[in-house]
Amino acid sequence: MSQRRFIDQHQDYWETFEVYLDDLEHGDSFPDADNFPEAYRRICQHLAIARDRGYRTSLIERLDGLVQRGHALMYRDRSGRWSDLFRFIRSGYPRQVRRDAGLLGISTLLLFGTMLATYAWLQIEPEWAYHVLGPQQMSKMEEMYASGAGRESAARDVFMFGFYIYNNVGIALRTFGAGALWGLGTIFIEIYNGVVLGAAASHVQNADMGQHFWPFVIGHGAFELPAIALAGQAGLKIGLAPFWPGRRTRLAAFRHAASNSLGLVAGFTGMLVIAAFIEAFWSSSPIDPTVRYTVGAALWMVVLLYLWRGGRR
Amino acid sequence: MHRRQRDERVDTAQLVETPEGVDFRQRPAGPTVRFWAAAVDIALRSALLLGTSMALSLFGTVGSGLQLIITFAAIWGYPIAFEMWWNGTTPGKHWFDLQVRHVDGTPITWKGSIIRNLLRAADFLPVGYLIGLASTVVSPRFQRIGDIAADTIVCHTEHSQDLSDLELPDADPLPVPVRLSPGEQAAIVQFALRSPQWSGERRREIADAAHGLLDSNRTNHNVASGLGDDDKKVEQLQRMASAIVQGR
């Protein structure tokens, strides 16, 4: 069949198919939608014929374009329902965390180990605060915790909430993302944060301001610190995946780990939002320290129990 | 793992095999055009943030807090939102006719978009996307680390051409003195169809390449002798294309 006859014979069909594509791409259905797979296969056949007979490139490219769009519509992804989300929060997430418990252990060690070590060190040698924190940071901390928390204003609380979201969630997402480079970014960020946090806490304690500091941090710390460790866990998961690929290629192991890490990402991001909330709207409120210690301890219990027992039968 | 046969290609088009048995091609975009698209996106985003910051400055501290949240959303959410709700493209990419897809030709999914955008943190290291650039240059599909993890590529969007917009230039048919395979005939016809769109230099350059083909030892005639000038070669090829097309 000559090219001209081929085009004349099928031109209308292609134009109709293009209308189908436009409708489906805009999310509208059309009455003959059930016929779409068959129509798509016919277009594929036309493309194969056109290629085989060496028809003009413009024709081949047009059919190629139709096939590409049809392919995208036939095989696109359909996922995401609300009930899935609730189930995930209730049980899916803690289970996912426990699946990589070893990595969480490493991450916890990197963060908390460094924190405790730095804290202890500065208790023994307080002057090192100058080297670790720097005089500017030191005076800022002293300023913040010199007196008991006074609620400044609701507006200030909103500002701090925004700041904690921008700052803390950003750091956590970077901790995760930078882990793609064989975990190096994650390790570095965790150690760095561990040192700074440990040093800050130790310095404040040395300056006799502990009674203002600890009630402040214990509340949101219950969500924030585990969240950083969890971000580290996720970062190590993708970074170290190529080293223990199991039965996959290293590249495939990397992709697989990345795909499976999004649940973890959602988890620690959610925890940090909660932490930001608590830190901005609760932590600096002028409530009796005993109450705040109790609430803080309770929150820690909740978080740890959730991660340890959540989702178990 | 079975390695696919190396295609003898001189371009970057990627073959996608479909379950229906036909293949189509997609062309991944290189670092230069992606850089420019990213530059446009960054400029646009900065302008938006400047706008919101000015508007929110009227609301004092609360406004500043909101501005921080908006900045956060803009940094992390801008690319994801556009990729998911605007058919795999952002304003910067759209300007340069680029689209984000999965390697198998399917549209971008939530997982894919989130992974590739969160791993910018790795691509950005140590500074200014150096790792990402290195990855793009080394990868056969121009993928940065985020793309590799998410199994995505950034493609040039194909433009399907109107059937009738390319015509053979008028030329007396010149019979082809040798026997050519269908692929070779198609190449000569392609040359003739597209030659009006190129500069003279380009036409001559490509025609020159073709005459290696015609001079090969399958011919009895000394084809080369009649073709002194490069422009003459161009004309010869166009005339041969006429002959091929009319011979069908």
Side-chain angles (χ1 to χ4, degrees):
Chain A
M1 179 190 293
S2 80
Q3 178 174 277
R4 197 72 249 167
R5 272 191 63 198
F6 183 77
I7 293 174
D8 290 338
Q9 191 171 44
H10 299 297
Q11 175 83 298
D12 291 334
Y13 193 79
W14 298 335
E15 276 165 19
T16 316
F17 189 73
E18 203 150 9
V19 172
Y20 285 176
L21 290 175
D22 285 333
D23 282 342
L24 284 175
E25 280 167 1
H26 286 114
D28 308 323
S29 193
F30 52 89
D32 287 331
D34 284 347
N35 293 335
F36 180 75
E38 188 187 324
Y40 171 62
R41 282 197 295 274
R42 277 190 70 183
I43 300 288
C44 290
Q45 190 190 20
H46 292 170
L47 173 62
I49 291 172
R51 283 224 179 103
D52 193 54
R53 295 180 190 168
Y55 286 157
R56 200 182 256 215
T57 306
S58 54
L59 169 61
I60 292 177
E61 275 181 9
R62 181 192 174 176
L63 291 174
D64 192 277
L66 293 180
V67 165
Q68 278 201 47
R69 290 168 67 188
H71 176 85
L73 287 167
M74 280 287 288
Y75 296 104
R76 63 184 166 179
D77 180 71
R78 298 289 209 187
S79 58
R81 289 168 302 218
W82 283 115
S83 56
D84 289 342
L85 179 67
F86 294 140
R87 199 151 25 106
F88 172 76
I89 294 177
R90 209 172 46 230
S91 54
Y93 176 62
R95 288 209 195 125
Q96 222 182 347
V97 170
R98 288 195 293 270
R99 215 169 291 151
D100 286 299
L103 292 176
L104 183 58
I106 298 176
S107 173
T108 309
L109 207 65
L110 284 172
L111 180 69
F112 287 97
T114 320
M115 260 200 313
L116 289 170
T118 315
Y119 183 90
W121 179 28
L122 256 70
Q123 290 287 304
I124 300 172
E125 308 263 5
E127 322 82 55
W128 273 91
Y130 280 103
H131 298 283
V132 176
L133 287 176
Q136 236 184 359
Q137 183 80 302
M138 287 165 67
S139 45
K140 202 168 80 142
M141 303 245 67
E142 286 161 22
E143 231 183 273
M144 268 170 57
Y145 299 107
S147 62
R151 185 144 222 173
E152 294 194 24
S153 65
R156 177 106 187 128
D157 288 347
V158 174
F159 173 77
M160 291 314 287
F161 177 69
F163 175 75
Y164 293 136
I165 296 284
Y166 173 80
N167 188 51
N168 297 347
V169 184
I171 291 178
L173 290 177
R174 272 182 264 272
T175 309
F176 163 69
L181 297 175
W182 309 292
L184 292 176
T186 305
I187 295 172
F188 176 77
I189 294 179
E190 278 201 293
I191 292 180
Y192 177 79
N193 276 304
V195 167
V196 169
L197 289 172
S202 193
H203 175 66
V204 168
Q205 182 71 11
N206 282 338
D208 276 325
M209 298 171 187
Q211 72 269 33
H212 304 134
F213 176 75
W214 296 111
F216 177 80
V217 296
I218 194 173
H220 63 265
F223 286 92
E224 187 168 332
L225 295 176
I228 301 179
L230 289 165
Q233 176 198 31
L236 290 174
K237 179 180 169 122
I238 57 176
L240 299 181
F243 293 110
W244 287 275
R247 301 184 61 200
R248 298 186 165 89
T249 66
R250 295 190 198 277
L251 211 55
F254 176 60
R255 279 201 302 266
H256 180 78
S259 177
N260 280 5
S261 63
L262 291 186
L264 298 175
V265 172
F268 69 72
T269 306
M271 287 179 72
L272 282 173
V273 172
I274 297 176
F277 211 77
I278 296 176
E279 190 170 2
F281 296 109
W282 157 265
S283 287
S284 57
S285 54
I287 296 185
D288 186 49
T290 326
V291 176
R292 289 157 75 195
Y293 278 124
T294 320
V295 171
L299 287 175
W300 272 98
M301 291 293 297
V302 165
V303 170
L304 291 174
L305 274 176
Y306 172 66
L307 291 175
W308 185 39
R309 303 291 310 174
R312 288 192 204 253
R313 296 228 150 273
Chain B
M1 183 175 103
H2 158 71
R3 259 191 192 212
R4 195 180 293 190
Q5 285 253 290
R6 268 281 184 81
D7 240 335
E8 290 296 327
R9 296 198 167 277
V10 293
D11 61 11
T12 54
Q14 293 286 320
L15 201 63
V16 175
E17 297 178 346
T18 69
E20 283 74 21
V22 283
D23 308 329
F24 59 82
R25 282 156 182 74
Q26 32 189 34
R27 290 182 296 132
T32 321
V33 65
R34 288 181 67 171
F35 166 79
W36 288 118
V40 170
D41 275 324
I42 290 176
L44 188 62
R45 193 165 63 196
S46 306
L48 280 173
L49 287 176
L50 193 63
T52 53
S53 130
M54 291 198 297
L56 287 173
S57 65
L58 301 170
F59 293 91
T61 340
V62 175
S64 306
L66 289 177
Q67 174 65 11
L68 282 166
I69 298 182
I70 291 175
T71 309
F72 173 80
I75 291 175
W76 297 98
Y78 170 103
I80 299 177
F82 272 114
E83 279 170 19
M84 289 312 299
W85 290 319
W86 200 19
N87 207 19
T89 185
T90 63
K93 288 192 168 75
H94 185 73
W95 197 352
F96 290 93
D97 289 321
L98 299 177
Q99 187 189 36
V100 180
R101 295 180 200 157
H102 283 281
V103 169
D104 60 6
T106 54
I108 187 74
T109 57
W110 279 105
K111 271 193 169 177
S113 184
I114 292 175
I115 290 175
R116 75 181 296 271
N117 285 303
L118 284 187
L119 262 61
R120 278 179 203 276
D123 285 305
F124 189 76
L125 298 176
V127 64
Y129 280 103
L130 279 182
I131 297 267
L133 179 65
S135 172
T136 312
V137 164
V138 165
S139 151
R141 297 192 190 108
F142 293 129
Q143 291 171 302
R144 57 178 178 83
I145 295 194
D147 288 319
I148 293 174
D151 211 28
T152 57
I153 46 177
V154 180
C155 293
H156 294 285
T157 47
E158 303 290 342
H159 295 292
S160 66
Q161 289 173 299
D162 204 340
L163 280 177
S164 56
D165 72 344
L166 291 181
E167 293 296 334
L168 275 178
D170 258 331
D172 292 330
L174 174 69
V176 183
V178 302
R179 194 184 6 207
L180 296 173
S181 74
E184 289 163 342
Q185 292 181 21
I188 294 181
V189 172
Q190 276 300 300
F191 172 84
L193 280 174
R194 292 177 169 183
S195 49
Q197 296 176 338
W198 300 327
S199 68
E201 272 294 316
R202 193 84 176 115
R203 281 202 286 273
R204 289 190 280 276
E205 183 188 349
I206 296 182
D208 197 48
H211 281 271
L213 179 67
L214 291 173
D215 283 345
S216 76
N217 44 17
R218 353 174 175 179
T219 173
N220 303 332
H221 310 273
N222 192 357
V223 179
S225 64
L227 306 164
D229 227 14
D230 277 343
D231 278 325
K232 269 188 157 192
K233 292 183 192 174
V234 173
E235 193 205 332
Q236 298 275 353
L237 280 177
Q238 288 172 338
R239 292 178 62 195
M240 286 184 197
S242 267
I244 292 172
V245 166
Q246 289 180 17
R248 287 203 174 176

